[in-house]
Each structure stands twice: as structure tokens, then as C-alpha cells.
Amino acid sequence: DVKVTQSSRYLVKRTGEKVFLECVQDMDHENMFWYRQDPGLGLRLIYFSYDVKMKEKGDIPEGYSVSREKKERFSLILESASTNQTSMYLCASSDSGTVSGNIQYFGAGTRLSVL
Amino acid sequence: AQSVSQHNHHVILSEAASLELGCNYSYGGTVNLFWYVQYPGQHLQLLLKYFSGDPLVKGIKGFEAEFIKSKFSFNLRKPSVQWSDTAEYFCAVNAYTGGFKTIFGAGTRLFVKA
């Protein structure tokens, strides 16, 4: 079974803090994704990466950055957390096959509260 | 731009009732279609998928979905729901638009009364 592990289930941070969310996958997948999940808005893509050190902006990249130094690890960084970044953050991975590569495997999520 | 619309945000059913959740997308090219499910306290996971072939696809736990290309729809169905189907359901569409990007719908919360 594919396992996508997010380092924290719950985080509480203060406005202005730098926040790191970590994600590790164990299936040697090329692609990794960060989404935020908000009620009524579904999943919105923040950033994704299709290879080590490669990254692409998603639909809502403002206020976020990412890092992928190793294939299995994809980090989401909030440079200066703000209250409107309070949300559930989901990490996902997929392989690069043209068929199977479209199936994403998700972590359990990190619920971040910014006070 | 691509978009995915789920018709209902909240659905409440009694056990044994039939379920149909609507999903429409806006993209004219070749698409791959998915339904994901998130049970309370659990990971989002794949329920079923359509890539090609028979437009009626079957997934886990008795769910099925029908791809109707002319209607840009991929509705999810189950003839008889159970209390354990209580979850949030997301429709998702993947199409090549300069990169393989998946767009998710807003989700439908299903509550099944025992």
C-alpha cells in the first residue's frame, strides 16, 4: 500500500510565524502535491512537483513556497503565517505513468490554525 | 478554465435509499475522471475512476459511476446506501492542459441515517 505521511495532524501557530509542513511518501512517486481543503471549496492546488528540485505553482500559491530536495519528501512553507491560512492541508503523490499517474494518494492531512 | 461542479453540498438519506451524486465538468478534450471519498477521520481515497472504455465503471463498496460525454457528466450512484457510507465525496477531473493537473469539485457531504 502507498503510504503518504504528513508530519503533524494538528498545528497551532501565531500570525507572522514561519511554518513548515512536511510530507513523505514511500512509493518512489515522481509527482507530489500540496492542497488546501476548505468547506464548500473542495481541494485547491497550492503547488506541485514532478521531480526533485522542480516545482510548479498551482491555483493558489500566494503566501506559500515549497521545497523538494529528495524524491520522497515535499515540504510546504508558509513564510509568514496569516489567519486566512487557517485550513486543512493535504499532501498527495502519484507516479508518472500516463494512466496510473493520474491516481493520487493522500496523506491524513494537517489541520493548521493560525491565531 | 477547467471547472468541476458538484450539484449538492449536503445530502441526507436513510439507510437502503438510493444515491445519486451529480458531477459536471467543463473541458472539451480527453479527460480522466475520478470519485474520491473521505470517511470521517480518514484519508481521502480513490472510490473509482474512468480512463477509457466502458463508460459505466464500478468501484469499491458497491458504488458505480457513468460517464456521459455528451453531457460532460460523471454521476456517482449506489442503489442502497448504508450508514457506513457517511462521508464526503469529491469528483475530480484530470485533463492535459499543458500539464497533468487534477481539478476537484467542492465536495458533497453525505449523511446516512441508521
Side-chain angles (χ1 to χ4, degrees):
Chain A
D1 271 356
V2 176
K3 190 165 266 187
V4 179
T5 303
Q6 293 183 231
S7 54
S8 306
R9 290 298 302 271
Y10 301 95
L11 273 180
V12 180
K13 297 292 181 180
R14 297 208 175 273
T15 303
E17 279 193 76
K18 191 169 185 175
V19 182
F20 292 86
L21 303 183
E22 306 285 346
C23 175
V24 177
Q25 50 96 2
D26 67 357
M27 282 301 292
D28 203 35
H29 282 168
E30 281 78 13
N31 307 321
M32 295 188 76
F33 308 82
W34 275 106
Y35 295 91
R36 62 178 282 176
Q37 182 181 10
D38 299 289
L41 296 177
L43 276 67
R44 292 181 291 165
L45 182 64
I46 304 171
Y47 269 96
F48 66 99
S49 167
Y50 53 88
D51 202 351
V52 175
K53 296 192 188 293
M54 305 303 287
K55 60 186 179 185
E56 292 285 341
K57 292 180 181 179
D59 299 315
I60 52 165
E62 297 78 19
Y64 303 94
S65 61
V66 290
S67 171
R68 192 154 180 216
E69 296 297 317
K70 292 185 178 182
K71 191 175 186 180
E72 67 270 18
R73 187 179 297 269
F74 192 36
S75 303
L76 179 70
I77 303 152
L78 286 66
E79 296 289 343
S80 176
S82 64
T83 54
N84 63 13
Q85 292 178 309
T86 291
S87 187
M88 172 70 90
Y89 290 87
L90 296 180
C91 176
S93 72
S94 70
D95 71 29
S96 60
T98 52
V99 173
S100 60
N102 295 321
I103 299 171
Q104 296 188 21
Y105 298 86
F106 287 86
T110 297
R111 189 168 291 282
L112 172 67
S113 296
V114 182
L115 306 177
Chain B
Q2 279 183 66
S3 66
V4 178
S5 297
Q6 292 185 236
H7 306 160
N8 310 96
H9 291 300
H10 293 91
V11 174
I12 302 173
L13 294 173
S14 298
E15 275 197 311
S18 65
L19 170 72
E20 181 159 4
L21 301 182
C23 173
N24 286 88
Y25 63 93
S26 64
Y27 183 70
T30 301
V31 293
N32 299 309
L33 300 161
F34 308 84
W35 278 96
Y36 286 86
V37 60
Q38 188 171 32
Y39 297 103
Q42 294 190 28
H43 298 206
L44 200 64
Q45 59 186 284
L46 183 70
L47 190 61
L48 49 76
K49 63 187 185 294
Y50 172 81
F51 288 162
S52 63
D54 188 344
L56 184 63
V57 292
K58 295 192 184 299
I60 58 172
K61 303 188 180 186
F63 285 90
E64 65 178 31
E66 185 175 13
F67 169 48
I68 303 179
K69 191 174 181 180
S70 60
K71 294 185 177 180
F72 299 90
S73 71
F74 190 56
N75 293 353
L76 180 70
R77 300 193 294 248
K78 186 171 183 179
S80 176
V81 295
Q82 300 173 307
W83 176 80
S84 58
D85 294 324
T86 294
E88 189 160 17
Y89 294 82
F90 293 91
C91 180
V93 176
N94 175 284
Y96 188 77
T97 53
F100 281 101
K101 198 167 129 179
T102 300
I103 306 294
F104 286 81
T108 298
R109 282 186 186 266
L110 171 67
F111 181 75
V112 180
K113 298 184 288 186

